[in-house]
Amino acid sequence: MEQPTTRHPPNGRPWTSERRLGGGNGRPRGHGRNVIPFQPPSKRLLWVYGLLCLALGGLAIRLVWLQVVQGEALQEKAREIQTQAVKPLGKRRTIVDRAGRMVAIDEERFTLWAHPRYFSFFGDDADTRRSTQEVTAKLAEVLARPQTELLRNMGNRKSGVKLANNLDPETAEQVRRLQISGLDLEAYPQRIYPQGSLFSNVVGFLNLDRVPQAGLEQSRDQDLKRQESTFSMRRGGDGTPLPDGLQAGSLYGDDLRLQLTLDSRLQQVAQQAVGKQMKQWNAKRGVALVMDAHTGELLALASTPTYDPNRYWDFNPGSFREWSVQDLYEPGSTFKPINLAIALQEKAIDPKGTVNDSGQLTIAGWPIFNADRRANGIIDFPTVLQVSSNVGMVDAMRHLKRETFWNWLKTIGINDVPDTDLPGAVAGQLKSREEFISGAIEPATASFGQGFSLTPLKLLQLQGMLANGGRLVSPHITRGLRSGEGLASRPTQRGVQLLDPKVTQEVVNWMETVVDKGTGKGIKIPGYRIGGKTGTAQKAENGVYIPGARITSFVAILPVENPRYVVLVVMDEPQGGNAYGSTVALPVARQIVEALLVLEKIPPSRPEKINPKPQLVRSQP
């Protein structure tokens, strides 16, 4: 007989699947028992089976939907969560002078943001929130600001409160050490000019939005931008950076620096000398330029008035432009040596020849006279420069054909923009060929440096042509980009040969007599041979000379036996009856030359004679 299947219910007592008849005492009613097997209803089984199939089918459909339809979108979302995009700060390259001294650098600065709704201290429970009074009490000491001011800034705002700007890295680190949740430091670069106003006239500055506004910062903007790129970095579940997410070259460090040709020490001497003389003579403005005539490198370019690029908003915008590169003036007598070189080159005059200086003459109805109204008689060309004779220059240059004279002024680039890296350079103004050769007055006034105009930079370039043997070099203030701490060496000689070296040396020798015997005596330095020329010209505006307005200047070339350096000083509208090139501009040039001799270690041209000490002679007994 089939035995019933025994199952154990939760209470531990056995029970069987057979259905018993009778009472609850476990005994059967009647004489036998009937065992009926348990059979679940067929409909219920179908329902359960159907539900299971539906669930499995739905799960399969959901998997297909996630992997096929939404697969790419979900994968992209996962990448966004796992990957951090690091954007560049937009840093700029450093600018250094010829010796590697810092001129412009980017420093890291921070903005401090507060989110009071998240304030808590290190070690607090996750639900703890600190009051603004507790937080500001700690911040006040670090920021060196009153707590009441910080509380007033926060007010009742819950997030996004700017507490401080332009924090230096040291202060930002102190804020981090407070370990206060709800404080956020946002880093950004700030352009700093360690030399202050020393190079502002040529370097320029960036505004608060880091947009270049003047100088090299503007003209070399693309060269000064560091090579930075946005790169992605993957992170693990705990935020740890994973190197496999970085591309090759992502962490490349751009260490290039823009090297200038300017020397900070000489620049400082020049700027102080120009500023002092400008105040003494109540001049409108002044500039001093020093150039290596062999290479065209500028060692100094100092002009006043100037400004501090770190606080540019405190200054007149007119100070942001370098006038020696952008403003025109009539050079006057400092152009006479260049004209004599042209005449010598064309063999229109004899180096040993003479001219007749009658003190005054009339050309096409226009009177021309010497500045001192004196007649010097028959004089040679060195004397023409010594006494700065206008009449003598007219007599010398009349031997040169007008057309040839104009062609030379055109050839040396009077009305061309100088080939330079100085921003904003402009061309000079020269009368048209027809106007120049049609009458006698134009070449006559041009012979002593008036009737045309140029910039101080252009005059420096032309004086450099006399110093380097007749080559027209490009004046410049940069040596290019250099990596790391490396500095560029001095470049080789360059330029377009225009004049015979023998001609230029002859003129430089004549300029030496100006220092030995003429108006340039004030720059004479024992042991050194220096050539020079003073200039005092009328100032013109819109083609009309301004009554009483003068521009005084002085140019020096040294050493005469091997000319290399050119120093040019121009002072605009000095006041006083005794304001001349020899009294206003020459003293500035002397200070610069004295510093130049030391900094460039220029040996003396000739040893100075030393008077022996007198010997005591004892009388014989």
Side-chain angles (χ1 to χ4, degrees):
M1 183 176 180
E2 181 181 359
Q3 297 295 326
T5 302
T6 303
R7 298 181 182 176
H8 298 278
N11 58 10
R13 298 179 60 186
W15 57 279
T16 64
S17 60
E18 62 182 17
R19 179 177 298 173
R20 297 180 181 272
L21 300 176
N25 55 6
R27 295 181 179 179
R29 294 180 181 179
H31 298 282
R33 60 180 182 179
N34 296 324
V35 179
I36 302 175
F38 175 75
Q39 293 182 354
S42 58
K43 290 185 178 181
R44 184 184 301 178
L45 183 61
L46 292 175
W47 274 107
V48 172
Y49 181 76
L51 288 176
L52 288 176
C53 290
L54 288 175
L56 290 175
L59 181 61
I61 294 173
R62 179 61 176 167
L63 289 176
V64 172
W65 179 264
L66 291 177
Q67 294 186 7
V68 178
V69 179
Q70 290 187 323
E72 293 184 4
L74 292 175
Q75 190 175 16
E76 184 65 26
K77 188 174 182 180
R79 287 197 190 101
E80 292 179 1
I81 297 175
Q82 298 169 358
T83 306
Q84 177 186 6
V86 181
K87 297 182 179 180
L89 293 178
K91 290 186 177 181
R92 294 173 73 83
R93 290 168 175 149
T94 300
I95 302 177
V96 298
D97 76 345
R98 67 190 292 117
R101 303 179 188 90
M102 296 295 179
V103 174
I105 58 175
D106 263 5
E107 288 190 355
E108 193 175 34
R109 289 292 187 268
F110 296 86
T111 299
L112 177 60
W113 298 89
H115 309 283
R117 68 172 64 181
Y118 302 117
F119 280 166
S120 64
F121 294 160
F122 178 74
D124 287 347
D125 294 336
D127 297 333
T128 303
R129 292 293 176 262
R130 297 285 183 167
S131 66
T132 56
Q133 288 79 5
E134 293 177 290
V135 173
T136 54
K138 292 189 174 185
L139 276 178
E141 182 178 357
V142 174
L143 300 179
R145 292 170 58 186
Q147 183 181 2
T148 55
E149 180 182 342
L150 297 177
L151 288 171
R152 185 169 57 252
N153 289 347
M154 290 189 191
N156 295 324
R157 289 182 290 175
K158 298 299 182 182
S159 184
V161 182
K162 181 191 270 190
L163 288 184
N165 195 25
N166 195 27
L167 293 181
D168 55 77
E170 292 77 13
T171 305
E173 182 60 27
Q174 292 180 21
V175 173
R176 291 192 188 97
R177 290 176 183 173
L178 295 177
Q179 295 183 321
I180 300 176
S181 297
L183 294 180
D184 183 22
L185 287 166
E186 180 184 7
Y188 65 93
Q190 179 171 322
R191 200 64 162 172
I192 303 296
Y193 303 92
Q195 307 278 4
S197 62
L198 193 59
F199 292 102
S200 60
N201 59 321
V202 293
V203 173
F205 65 95
L206 304 182
N207 63 13
L208 296 179
D209 295 324
R210 291 183 63 79
V211 177
Q213 299 297 307
L216 291 175
E217 292 280 22
Q218 188 175 48
S219 64
R220 302 291 295 269
D221 182 39
Q222 294 302 319
D223 292 335
L224 289 172
K225 290 180 178 179
R226 290 188 183 274
Q227 291 185 356
E228 296 180 311
S229 59
T230 301
F231 63 90
S232 299
M233 180 173 58
R234 291 187 180 180
R235 294 184 176 273
D238 58 352
T240 303
L242 302 177
D244 61 338
L246 295 177
Q247 301 296 326
S250 298
L251 299 180
Y252 166 72
D254 185 348
D255 62 347
L256 295 179
R257 306 184 301 171
L258 180 63
Q259 182 183 345
L260 305 182
T261 65
L262 303 173
D263 189 301
S264 299
R265 299 166 298 176
L266 191 62
Q267 180 84 356
Q268 186 172 15
V269 171
Q271 189 177 83
Q272 291 177 350
V274 172
K276 180 180 178 181
Q277 200 75 339
M278 191 183 76
K279 291 180 181 178
Q280 180 178 342
W281 291 92
N282 196 24
K284 180 180 179 180
R285 54 190 178 179
V287 67
L289 305 96
V290 182
M291 184 177 74
D292 184 335
H294 288 186
T295 63
E297 290 188 336
L298 269 66
L299 280 69
L301 199 172
S303 64
T304 55
T306 185
Y307 66 98
D308 184 357
N310 297 302
R311 300 187 58 82
Y312 64 88
W313 51 85
D314 291 334
F315 297 86
N316 188 331
S319 303
F320 301 160
R321 59 194 304 272
E322 177 47 51
W323 70 273
S324 66
V325 180
Q326 302 179 27
D327 289 356
L328 305 178
Y329 81 111
E330 295 187 1
S333 295
T334 49
F335 203 84
K336 291 174 180 176
I338 298 168
N339 280 336
L340 289 178
I342 292 173
L344 281 175
Q345 182 73 24
E346 289 294 324
K347 296 180 172 53
I349 60 175
D350 189 295
K352 305 298 182 181
T354 60
V355 294
N356 182 19
D357 180 5
S358 59
Q360 183 174 346
L361 52 82
T362 301
I363 304 260
W366 294 89
I368 294 176
F369 45 81
N370 295 330
D372 56 8
R373 306 298 178 97
R374 288 189 346 182
N376 297 289
I378 305 299
I379 55 176
D380 57 11
F381 296 114
T383 306
V384 169
L385 295 180
Q386 292 170 29
V387 299
S388 198
S389 171
N390 293 339
V391 175
M393 285 299 303
V394 174
D395 191 16
M397 298 304 292
R398 68 181 175 85
H399 298 287
L400 186 65
K401 293 181 180 180
R402 298 175 188 175
E403 184 176 359
T404 303
F405 191 8
W406 185 88
N407 286 337
W408 266 105
L409 296 178
K410 177 73 174 177
T411 299
I412 62 179
I414 294 298
N415 58 345
D416 293 333
V417 177
D419 180 19
T420 179
D421 58 1
L422 281 160
V426 299
Q429 292 181 351
L430 178 65
K431 299 291 177 63
S432 66
R433 179 180 178 276
E434 292 74 17
E435 189 176 2
F436 191 88
I437 67 177
S438 61
I441 189 60
E442 293 299 339
T445 56
S447 66
F448 52 86
Q450 298 210 227
F452 64 91
S453 59
L454 42 66
T455 62
L457 178 70
K458 182 62 182 181
L459 180 61
L460 180 76
Q461 181 190 35
L462 297 179
Q463 293 290 346
M465 181 176 61
L466 299 180
N468 64 27
R471 291 179 295 106
L472 194 65
V473 298
S474 300
H476 58 278
I477 59 172
T478 61
R479 283 188 178 177
L481 296 172
R482 293 294 178 268
S483 177
E485 300 297 324
L487 295 176
S489 58
R490 182 174 295 182
T492 57
Q493 298 184 9
R494 62 185 71 181
V496 180
Q497 192 75 37
L498 296 179
L499 297 174
D500 188 335
K502 294 181 180 179
V503 168
T504 59
Q505 186 62 51
E506 184 75 38
V507 175
V508 171
N509 290 337
W510 292 351
M511 294 175 68
E512 184 182 14
T513 67
V514 177
V515 175
D516 291 338
K517 305 175 183 178
T519 56
K521 290 180 180 178
I523 202 173
K524 190 172 184 179
I525 298 175
Y528 291 91
R529 298 179 61 190
I530 302 173
K533 185 68 190 78
T534 56
T536 305
Q538 292 177 280
K539 184 176 180 179
E541 185 173 327
N542 298 325
V544 179
Y545 290 111
I546 305 173
R550 303 174 178 176
I551 292 185
T552 62
S553 56
F554 184 83
V555 61
I557 296 177
L558 68 149
V560 170
E561 71 278 6
N562 183 23
R564 177 157 197 167
Y565 299 100
V566 181
V567 179
L568 174 63
V569 178
V570 181
M571 303 295 291
D572 187 11
E573 293 192 33
Q575 305 300 311
N578 194 36
Y580 299 102
S582 58
T583 57
V584 180
L586 185 148
V588 176
R590 180 185 175 92
Q591 295 182 52
I592 296 173
V593 168
E594 289 175 340
L596 181 65
L597 295 174
V598 175
L599 295 176
E600 293 298 308
K601 300 178 181 179
I602 302 174
S605 303
R606 50 180 176 257
E608 284 295 293
K609 295 181 179 180
I610 302 176
N611 295 325
K613 295 181 179 179
Q615 299 294 325
L616 295 176
V617 179
R618 296 182 180 180
S619 59
Q620 296 295 328

